[in-house]
Amino acid sequence: MTPSDSNKPAKEFYLDYQVIGISSALLIIGYIMVSSASFHLGEKMQSSNWHYPMMQMIHIALGLVFAVAMYCVPLSFWERYGQWLFLGGLALLLLVFVPGLGVKVNGSTRWISLGGFRIQVSEVVKLISVIYMASYVTRYQDTLRNSTFGAFKPLALFVVASVLLLLEPDFGSAVVIVSMAMVIMYLSGARLGQFAALLLIFGSAAAALVIISPYRWKRIVSYLDPWADPENTGFQLVQALISFGRGEWLGVGLGNSLQKLFYLPEAHTDFLFSVLAEELGLLGITLVILLFALLVWRAFKIGVTAENAGLAFHAYVAYGIGFWFGFQAFINMGVNMGILPTKGITLPLMSYGGGSMIVMCSAIALLLRVSSDAHVLKAALPKGNPLWASA
């Protein structure tokens, strides 16, 4: 470090423009597609073409407000209170079943209504799960690595959360939350044998839940052959596949989708990716997939930088958020393309929804704070420090 360098004031914060740019691109594309997919729906349901675009704009604005607030909170706060946050998340999952608070939509009670604003509790619990698991593995890393049963202890609360989610029912969110916990645990150094045993246990449990549940089994059957009953059990997947077929290379043009006109269910939420495929074609879906891949790559790169700096909690938060966004986007896209059975999972930063948008923006803010802390620490070190090579 030169004398001139030593006289420079230390950086107080750092903005990761790569994360901001990728997230902004997804938000913009998502807003355009939500608008395109919901004009007709707004006219029918609310007597205004602009109802859903305006509501989504409000959702994004609220998401950015929460993101700024989240960014301003030191990560030491989340690390200290991670377990209490998770208990709070379990309480929220219980509130879903309270009459007057819980809201039932399409046969599932996944939302709570507060002041006229609906919040999908599972989305909040996903963010809390990342924080709690990162906090746990940071505090008990030696136990996870050396104890035979060390990897099983932290999953007790996740089993409780999964049971509550299955009662809603919300099988997809339960899979995402447990998968996030296991990935963070594995990256923290849990034994491979323990990880394989956990994977076998939860995989077997998931398969059993599918087999014993008539409506879940029906989804598997319709997924394997949607054309056997295209007007009933296979309706969603058939309409989604038609969207992809019509889109071809460059799409039919923005706003020109036919499938969104009451053929494709939940076109502005769970099946937004199908509308995008129809209107923007292979070029459009490739761009979105590339953006999500870049976001996941950047999140893991931030995690490596934080880990090399000795910021273990920061690193596991970054890994968890990266996996969460990538895995949830994969599930949503896979469902839309017929690769996976139909599940009600939103496309991060893109699908319509207030609670989901607020939580996703908050998660991005948390990732930005991890990046900032790691880079501020890096800037305070001599140029020859190994940390410089990991940024």
Side-chain angles (χ1 to χ4, degrees), residues 27-48:
L27 280 172
I28 292 169
I29 296 172
Y31 179 74
I32 292 172
M33 295 313 305
V34 165
S35 299
S36 175
S38 64
F39 277 133
H40 67 288
L41 189 62
E43 178 65 28
K44 179 182 179 181
M45 305 296 293
Q46 303 292 335
S47 300
S48 171

Side-chain angles (χ1 to χ4, degrees), residues 130-151:
V130 171
I131 295 172
Y132 164 70
M133 200 63 199
S135 173
Y136 184 93
V137 299
T138 300
R139 287 181 286 118
Y140 299 104
Q141 196 168 61
D142 289 340
T143 303
L144 286 170
R145 292 176 177 176
N146 301 319
S147 172
T148 304
F149 299 100

Side-chain angles (χ1 to χ4, degrees), residues 93-117:
L93 288 173
L94 288 171
L95 286 178
V96 166
F97 303 103
V98 176
L101 284 179
V103 178
K104 193 170 186 177
V105 179
N106 296 331
S108 298
T109 309
R110 303 178 183 177
W111 295 263
I112 57 174
S113 179
L114 296 174
F117 191 75

Side-chain angles (χ1 to χ4, degrees), residues 64-88:
L64 295 177
V65 170
F66 274 82
V68 171
M70 179 71 77
Y71 183 86
C72 293
V73 179
L75 266 78
S76 57
F77 174 85
W78 305 116
E79 182 178 5
R80 187 179 307 116
Y81 297 106
Q83 56 187 343
W84 298 108
L85 284 172
F86 196 85
L87 291 175

